Amino acid sequence: MTPAPLRIHTPVCVIGAGPAGLLLARLLELNGIDCVVLERRGRDHVERRVRAGLLEQGTVEALRRAGVAGRLDREGLVHEGFELRLEGDTYRLPFTKLTGESVWMYGQQEVVKDLIAARTTAGGALHFDVDDVRVDRLAGDGATVTCTLDGRPAEITCEFVAGCDGFHGVSRTAVPAASLTTSTHTYPYAWLGILAAAPPMSPELVYATGERGFALQSMRSSTVSRLYLQVPPGESADTRSDEEIWAELDLRLTGGSGALPTGPVLERTLVPLRSFICEPMQHGRLFLLGDAAHIVPPSAAKGLNLAVADAELLAGALAVWYATGRRAALDAYSATALRRAWLGQEFSRWMTELLHTGPGGTPFDRGLRRARFDHLTGSTAAATDFAEQYVGQSRR
Ligand code: RFL
Ligand code: PHB
C-alpha cells in the first residue's frame, strides 16, 4: 500500500543544495524565515564535488555576514595579483594595488561543507537524495512541490520556490517555454581540470597561453594544486595519461623547463566552455538563482560569485517582503540579477577569448591577442579596468 502523502507547508521551498541554495537558506534562517531545502544528490557527493575555488572579496564578505566564514578566514589563501603569460612574456596584474580588493582561494566544496554544517547545527530542514522533485503548480500566491522524502510521497506547499538546482535542474523547466528567453554560446574548446597533491609552482595564479593552447595553475593550499589544460571539446576526462597531462602543463606553463612540481592526480574534471543565460529570472512565485539561470565559462571564475550574489539579493528581497509586505525588491530581483549576470557573461567571454585560440586560429587571431596583451600591459587604465572586473564585478 502506498503510504499517505506527507503534507508540509513552508514559506520558501529551496531546490538544490549548492552554494546558491545553501546560502539562501542560511540568510533566510538569519531573518527568521523558515524554508525546506531539497537536494538530489547525497551529502557526501555534494561535499566532495570539486569545482570553483576563487572567491571575490564581495563573496567573502557575504559569507562573513552569513556567519559561515570562520574556516575560510583561517584557511583561505588571500591573493593580491596573478600572472599572465603570453608566448613566454610574463606580466603580473597587481589587482589589489589597482582596486583595493583581494580574492580568496578556497574550494567551493569547503564553502558547501561550511554552509551544510551551519544548517544542520541550526536544525533547518535539508533533505539529501531527493531525486524526483517536481514543481507541480505555480499559482498566483504560491506553489506546490512534490517529491519522495524517506520513502513517502510528499507534497510541499509554499509561498515561494527558489530554483537553485544548477544548469541541469528541474526548476527552470517549470516555466512555460514561451515565458523565457534563453541565449547560449558554445566555445570551440574545453578544459581538463586536475586536482593534484603537488605544491603550486608559484604562490599566485598563472594564466598562460601560447601556440599550444591555454593552461592555468591554481591551488587549494600550499600542498594541493588545481590545474587546467585547454583541450578539444570532444576529448574525455581520461583520454590522456597523467604523464601526458603533466608534460603538456609544463610545456604551456613553463616552456617545458620541468619546473612545474608534479604529484598524484586526485581528481579529473572535463569542463565544456559555454555561456547560457535565461531571462527573466522569475516566473510568478518561482525565482531562479545561480547556474539554474546563467552559466559562464570558468575563465574569469565568475560562476560561484554570481550564484552567491543572487542568493544575497533574493534573501534581502524576501526579508523585506516578510517584514513589511512590500514587494518592490522582489519585483526588482530579476532585472538586478540579470544586469550583473550579463556583465559576468561579457567579461567571461572577453577573458576566454584573450586566453584561447580555437581550432584554425590564424596569424590574424594571434596578432589581435598580442595587441590585447600589449594594451593591458602598457596601460594602467586598461589594467585597472581588467582588475576591477576580475575582483569584484558580481556585485556591481
Ligand atoms: P550548483 O553548484 O550546480 O548546485 C546545484 C545543486 O542542485 C542540485 N540539483 C538538484 N536538486 C534537487 N532536484 C533536482 N532536480 C536537482 N538538480 C540538481 C545539484 O545536485 C547541486 O547540488 O549551482 P549553484 O549553487 O548555482 O552554484 C554555481 C557554481 O557551482 C558554479 O557557478 C561554479 O562552480 C562555476 N565555477 C567557478 N565559479 C567561480 O566563481 N570561481 C571559480 O573559480 C570557478 N571555477 C567553476 C570553476 C565551475 C567548474 N565546473 C566544473 C563547471 C571551475 C570548474 C571546473
Ligand atoms: C580554480 O581555482 O578552480 C579557478 C581559478 C581561477 C579561474 C578558474 C578556476 O579563472
Side-chain angles (χ1 to χ4, degrees), residues 60-75 106 114:
V60 171
E61 285 163 2
L63 295 169
R64 286 185 186 142
R65 280 192 290 277
V68 291
R71 203 160 61 90
L72 161 62
D73 277 325
R74 285 192 304 279
E75 297 175 15
Y106 188 69
D114 297 341

